[in-house]
Amino acid sequence: MTSSATRRDPYEGFPGRVGRTFAESEPAWPAPAPTGKAPNIVVVLVDDMGYSDIGPFGSEIPTPVLDRLADGGVRLTNYHTMPLCSPARAALLTGLNPHRVGYAMVANSDPGFPGYGMQIADDIPTLAELLRDAGYATYAVGKWHLVRDSASNAANDRAGWPLQKGFDQYYGVLEGLTSLFHPHQLVRDNSPLDIDEFPDDYYYTDDITDQAIAMVKSLRAHDQDKPFFLYLAHNAVHGPLQAKAEDIDHHRGRYDDGWDALRERRFAAQKAAGLFPPGTELPVRNSEAGLDVPAWESLTEEQRRLYARYMEVYAALVDNIDQNLGRLTDTLDALGELDNTIIVFTSDNGGTGEGGAEGTRSYFSRFVHHPGLPDDWTPDVDRAPELIGGPRSLVHYPRGWGMASNTPFRLYKGHTYAGGVRVPFLLSWPDGAREGRLAPGLRPQYQYVTDIAPTLLELAGLRRPGTRRGRTLQEPDGTSFAPVLSDAAHDSTHHEQYCEMSGNRSHYRDGHKLVTLHRPGTPYDDSEWALYDIRTDPTEIHDLAAERPDLVKELSAAWEEAAWRNGVFPLPDGSGALARRNPAERRLARPLTLLPGTPELERYRSSRLISLRSFDIEVLLDETGEGVLVSHGDQGGGYSLYVEDGRLRLAYNEYGVLHETDAGLLATGPHHVLLSATAEEGLRWRFTLVVDGTERAVSDSVHQLIGMAPFQGISIGVDRKSPVSWPLYERHRTFRFTGRLRSVTYRPGPPGPDSPEAVATALREAASAFE
């Protein structure tokens, strides 16, 4: 049989023999099957965890499971990652530098350039795809954040969702953060789940661990031999910080003496454990403008009590991660699988300073980065101490604790200094240790996040192919560090690496690191480079740039070359380009009618109807009843229009502060209800309620919900999951409407004074202030 351009020979490549009859033929069953007893692989990726936050890297937080894994495994003490989550995840799962994959930034922007494409191309296979090709079962649970927010809805083509990128099953949250008590949009496989209400004892970290355990148990029930790859990507410890009360109780009083004392204790533990060479110094507190940390002793007693409570919640999150890892390892042990399972534990980037100097109990108001915030903007709300860390508070800790998380390094997540990119890394594989493929202990060798995929492939006995499904694959950037795992004296396998994040840059080569802390709007030139020898100065204290101008010039030229080769340009500037979105998204601001029974509208899709603009919500009732007519948002901010005791009311949650507007009695029968929001100067809305053409009520002026808020999407006839109004939730739970609701129509109005166009202008003006 011959082939043509459009017809393939059906026998081509068949390893058996085909004759005219079965008797004249020899069968074959080609199928991927790992050679020997291939190891299972579990990658546990934590979000925003600093270098010192677990016991094996100096923490006081009890992490007995990680301690045991570290004792029998390898700790990479000089492991580097990207400073932000989506880029780090893209690099980890592909082995390519993130700009090449299209993740120069988190998957929440769309300025229209290749480095910001937010889509893993077909010629860049993920680790899951390569392992599945080789016969592995592949599972992912938890945070994905490798699909752009605008592509996270049920109408999307799902090209960037986990199942399309090599995973057999997925359960988790596609976006970068969520409530751990009331996740805003859970996805199973390729479908968002339509959930009204979570059990009172629900906790997301427990849930994704339950799901991971169930996947492994199901596999073993059906196939005793097939190896598996489990990608367990926690949303914890990313803000908002929320933890179970019993876990918080374990840490009461632990942080009363503050972040300065904590840094000292953790650094002493790190030195005693041999994580750093003799002579390593602890830097002074971060003091850079806008990133500075006050002395703990300079705080008031009230501030200390509040800030210590925030850190108790954070410690509870870490504690809970370890507990859940213990449940997973116990399951593997019960199945007889633990010894032949490679377990990697690490973080996507360093600890964060996003909580600001004071921290917050109102995460989404603190997280807003609009350049035109009015003077009366409040990035915090008052919450009783017993509510901090629970479902009614969206907490983030002050950056002083982020500094302590990153002990002994400088700065935070988002920066290319070590605080943003050096994180804990441990790898356990008992069978590999017995076979001499892993020699337990510490490794000071420099390795990078792109090295994880090639290392795991080598440990599994696999080679990365040059082609896949007829397509030539892009070459990886990472290099396997399997030789380093087996031989503590082996040289690093990664000798040079560029890095860029939001204009912060660095270039590493054989122990020297060139790095910038870029001030927005300032020129990108050699004057901002600092140079460190991180072999003798891993905490980046002694700047050698003035002494070694030749090396600065050499490494800066190397960074420039690497940037062009990897798709880093264009760099962010004061033009406001990062606020730009694909013009095709303008269609998302057309009027939209929602009928009863419509599942909750996804967060980003919902936001396009109201963000930075005036808007109307038209509610058509065929018969009055009790309950919620329309809701949009949660405990972090939102609004809910409802009927209770026959009265029409509006609840507006202003980032945690609840406002109520009473529009009076709603008589039985059909009604036309109109809720109008008028965008006013200073990022404000004023709501007007009109019933059957008669104005009933006008609210006070309130701050608009911008940035990531409202986080939960639009629901009609019910207030799902995290409620807008907690008192209403306590009285009626989700409060489904009992009357007959015909439709709810959103009519986006004109952009307000703080529209995206105004944002871009304001960004340019803000940047000019630095020139």
Side-chain angles (χ1 to χ4, degrees):
M1 179 72 68
T2 59
S3 298
S4 68
T6 57
R7 185 182 186 91
R8 181 176 60 84
D9 182 348
Y11 302 111
E12 181 182 354
F14 177 64
R17 182 169 57 84
V18 179
R20 286 181 59 79
T21 67
F22 278 105
E24 299 170 322
S25 306
E26 293 182 4
W29 292 269
T35 57
K37 180 54 177 163
N40 305 313
I41 299 171
V42 176
V43 173
V44 182
L45 185 65
V46 184
D47 199 348
D48 287 4
M49 174 178 277
Y51 187 88
S52 71
D53 280 335
I54 59 174
F57 283 79
S59 181
E60 72 297 332
I61 302 170
T63 54
V65 177
L66 287 168
D67 294 347
R68 288 195 298 272
L69 294 176
D71 287 345
V74 166
R75 280 176 284 173
L76 299 185
T77 63
N78 195 12
Y79 168 77
H80 287 62
T81 181
M82 280 293 290
L84 216 55
C85 46
S86 298
R89 290 157 200 273
L92 187 155
L93 286 173
T94 66
L96 274 68
N97 289 325
H99 296 84
R100 285 182 63 202
V101 191
Y103 292 87
M105 176 57 69
V106 291
N108 301 82
S109 60
D110 191 11
F113 295 98
Y116 297 83
M118 308 301 172
Q119 177 67 50
I120 302 174
D122 290 340
D123 59 354
I124 302 175
T126 67
L127 178 60
E129 288 175 305
L130 296 176
L131 289 172
R132 186 164 68 180
D133 288 351
Y136 273 70
T138 55
Y139 306 123
V141 297
K143 172 174 172 172
W144 183 240
H145 212 196
L146 289 173
V147 58
R148 184 180 279 113
D149 49 11
S150 58
S152 296
N153 61 75
N156 189 256
D157 63 8
R158 294 165 169 79
W161 292 30
L163 264 60
Q164 282 61 250
K165 291 302 167 187
F167 290 100
D168 297 327
Q169 291 181 252
Y170 170 69
Y171 179 87
V173 172
L174 294 177
E175 287 202 274
L177 61 139
T178 197
S179 164
L180 300 186
F181 291 106
H182 303 117
H184 68 289
Q185 181 181 261
L186 281 172
V187 171
R188 184 181 296 281
D189 297 333
N190 267 339
S191 299
L193 298 179
D194 195 17
I195 297 171
D196 276 6
E197 188 172 0
F198 290 101
D200 288 342
D201 63 351
Y202 177 88
Y203 191 65
Y204 176 77
T205 307
D206 296 344
D207 184 16
I208 61 172
T209 304
D210 288 342
Q211 299 293 329
I213 289 171
M215 291 172 184
V216 172
K217 285 182 176 179
S218 177
L219 174 67
R220 281 298 165 258
H222 292 88
D223 191 324
Q224 293 178 293
D225 301 314
K226 190 172 190 176
F228 66 84
F229 168 45
L230 170 63
Y231 176 56
L232 201 171
H234 287 284
N235 285 78
V237 291
H238 195 294
L241 307 180
Q242 296 176 313
K244 297 191 292 187
E246 58 265 33
D247 290 333
I248 298 173
D249 287 343
H250 295 156
H251 302 277
R252 294 295 189 208
R254 189 185 293 272
Y255 300 102
D256 289 353
D257 55 357
W259 46 62
D260 292 323
L262 183 63
R263 282 182 86 216
E264 295 285 351
R265 286 197 301 271
R266 289 188 174 185
F267 187 49
Q270 291 169 338
K271 289 191 294 184
L275 301 185
F276 296 102
T280 299
E281 303 169 61
L282 182 66
V284 298
R285 282 185 300 273
N286 293 331
S287 59
E288 292 81 357
L291 306 170
D292 56 305
V293 175
W296 183 260
E297 291 303 316
S298 70
L299 304 176
T300 66
E301 186 61 32
E302 181 181 4
Q303 286 174 317
R304 289 184 216 168
R305 281 196 302 269
L306 176 60
Y307 297 176
R309 182 64 60 93
Y310 291 155
M311 187 59 188
E312 291 167 3
V313 176
Y314 182 86
L317 284 161
V318 177
D319 184 345
N320 181 265
I321 287 171
D322 191 77
Q323 293 174 42
N324 276 292
L325 181 57
R327 294 201 297 125
L328 176 61
T329 55
D330 287 348
T331 300
L332 296 175
D333 195 26
L335 291 169
E337 302 275 340
L338 185 58
D339 283 358
N340 196 36
T341 298
I342 299 167
I343 298 178
V344 170
F345 183 95
T346 189
S347 177
D348 58 353
N349 47 251
T352 180
E354 290 167 346
E358 303 87 15
T360 186
R361 290 154 289 185
S362 179
Y363 181 82
F364 291 115
S365 61
R366 171 69 71 184
F367 199 62
V368 165
H369 297 296
H370 194 289
L373 286 181
D375 293 339
D376 64 349
W377 191 270
T378 305
D380 194 12
V381 296
D382 191 15
R383 280 288 182 272
E386 63 270 17
L387 298 180
I388 292 175
R392 296 180 60 183
S393 65
L394 277 68
V395 164
H396 216 331
Y397 63 17
R399 58 178 174 250
W401 296 122
M403 176 185 68
S405 287
N406 294 332
T407 301
F409 303 122
R410 295 172 54 193
L411 300 178
Y412 317 95
K413 167 186 177 180
H415 300 129
T416 47
Y417 273 80
V421 297
R422 284 188 72 165
V423 295
F425 184 101
L426 62 87
L427 187 148
S428 168
W429 184 22
D431 277 359
R434 280 190 282 272
E435 296 165 3
R437 300 185 66 187
L438 182 149
L442 301 177
R443 299 291 189 277
Q445 291 90 332
Y446 177 97
Q447 299 296 161
Y448 194 63
V449 61
T450 54
D451 301 337
I452 292 177
T455 300
L456 293 175
L457 287 173
E458 181 173 347
L459 295 181
L462 302 171
R463 297 180 67 118
R464 188 181 191 273
T467 61
R468 181 174 184 267
R469 298 180 179 177
R471 182 186 293 268
T472 300
L473 301 181
Q474 291 198 45
E475 64 181 14
D477 296 299
T479 53
S480 170
F481 54 78
V484 174
L485 296 175
S486 61
D487 179 5
H490 197 285
D491 287 341
S492 163
T493 62
H494 201 118
H495 303 287
E496 187 164 4
Q497 182 63 46
Y498 86 94
C499 188
E500 185 276 333
M501 177 54 56
S502 302
N504 293 315
R505 299 171 288 158
S506 72
H507 199 86
Y508 169 86
R509 179 186 287 170
D510 290 329
H512 283 96
K513 179 181 173 183
L514 199 65
V515 61
T516 71
L517 177 61
H518 184 70
R519 297 174 64 203
T522 59
Y524 291 99
D525 59 34
D526 287 351
S527 67
E528 61 179 352
W529 290 115
L531 176 67
Y532 302 98
D533 185 340
I534 64 172
R535 297 166 297 187
T536 58
D537 180 25
T539 52
E540 300 170 345
I541 295 175
H542 303 290
D543 182 4
L544 306 176
E547 302 173 27
R548 299 291 308 275
D550 56 332
L551 189 55
V552 170
K553 184 176 181 179
E554 178 184 334
L555 293 182
S556 64
W559 182 91
E560 192 83 8
E561 179 186 350
W564 282 113
R565 191 170 65 250
N566 285 278
V568 174
F569 298 114
L571 292 171
D573 55 20
S575 67
L578 285 179
R580 195 161 49 208
R581 285 282 182 163
N582 189 327
E585 286 192 17
R586 291 172 187 157
R587 63 187 176 83
L588 301 181
R590 297 197 304 247
L592 176 67
T593 296
L594 303 170
L595 301 178
T598 301
E600 181 179 303
L601 207 61
E602 183 271 331
R603 176 197 69 83
Y604 185 78
R605 176 68 182 92
S606 298
S607 73
R608 297 305 86 194
L609 299 169
I610 70 165
S611 181
L612 296 171
R613 65 173 65 246
S614 299
F615 62 93
D616 291 338
I617 306 174
E618 180 186 49
V619 180
L620 297 182
L621 292 174
D622 289 333
E623 182 56 55
T624 306
E626 296 271 307
V628 172
L629 302 174
V630 60
S631 67
H632 183 188
D634 46 55
Q635 281 293 283
Y639 54 89
S640 174
L641 186 64
Y642 64 96
V643 182
E644 184 184 30
D645 298 329
R647 303 186 73 85
L648 179 65
R649 299 175 184 270
L650 171 68
Y652 186 79
N653 188 322
E654 189 181 27
Y655 299 100
V657 176
L658 188 63
H659 303 268
E660 293 274 3
T661 302
D662 188 341
L665 289 170
L666 198 63
T668 59
H671 291 287
H672 178 281
V673 177
L674 184 65
L675 175 64
S676 294
T678 302
E680 299 179 338
E681 195 76 39
L683 288 166
R684 288 185 166 274
W685 278 321
R686 192 178 302 274
F687 290 94
T688 303
L689 269 165
V690 177
V691 178
D692 301 327
T694 301
E695 183 178 295
R696 289 284 196 92
V698 179
S699 75
D700 294 334
S701 178
V702 291
H703 286 125
Q704 294 179 28
L705 299 166
I706 62 173
M708 300 292 284
F711 206 64
Q712 198 166 290
I714 296 168
S715 290
I716 65 168
V718 64
D719 189 354
R720 293 183 170 97
K721 292 173 281 195
S722 178
V724 171
S725 168
W726 195 269
L728 188 66
Y729 174 74
E730 288 182 320
R731 295 195 297 270
H732 302 288
R733 306 298 284 190
T734 57
F735 207 15
R736 274 197 172 270
F737 186 62
T738 60
R740 284 188 292 134
L741 179 61
R742 186 189 306 173
S743 64
V744 174
T745 299
Y746 275 76
R747 301 188 192 282
D754 307 286
S755 66
E757 293 79 8
V759 170
T761 301
L763 283 169
R764 287 192 293 270
E765 293 172 352
S768 68
F770 292 99
E771 296 177 351

